[in-house]
């Protein structure tokens, strides 16, 4: 999902500040994803672990 409005308002503000600061420094960035559902996260984590392919995302579980 790419809709920034689904994110917490504080995160929306931080994202806008990041984009503005990068623009001031003549850096072009794009926020590619704003929300991944549990199924999507599970599929990414499984790749290279329980499904074929290379590990593409390392996840650190924190309590």
């Amino acid at each position: 999902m790419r809709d920034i409005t689904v994110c917490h308002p504080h995160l929306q503000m931080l994202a806008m500040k990041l984009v503005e600061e990068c623009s001031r420094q003549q850096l072009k960035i794009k926020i590619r994803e704003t929300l991944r559902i549990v199924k999507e996260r599970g599929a990414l984590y499984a790749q290279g672990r329980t499904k074929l392919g290379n590990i593409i995302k390392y996840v650190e579980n924190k309590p």
Side-chain angles (χ1 to χ4, degrees):
M1 180 175 286
R2 295 182 180 176
D3 183 4
I4 193 73
T5 63
V6 300
C7 295
H8 188 280
H10 183 68
L11 182 57
Q12 292 179 42
M13 179 198 60
L14 293 174
M16 287 187 286
K17 284 183 176 184
L18 174 65
V19 170
E20 290 169 4
E21 180 59 31
C22 287
S23 179
R24 277 194 283 278
Q25 294 185 32
Q26 298 179 341
L27 300 170
K28 292 182 181 181
I29 67 164
K30 187 176 199 176
I31 298 174
R32 221 178 114 190
E33 283 189 70
T34 57
L35 178 69
R36 285 187 184 156
I37 62 173
V38 174
K39 188 176 180 179
E40 291 171 318
R41 291 193 312 257
L44 288 172
Y45 186 80
Q47 185 173 329
R49 292 174 176 87
T50 59
K51 292 184 178 178
L52 293 177
N54 295 324
I55 293 176
I56 59 168
K57 181 174 176 106
Y58 291 91
V59 176
E60 182 180 326
N61 291 325
K62 294 182 180 179

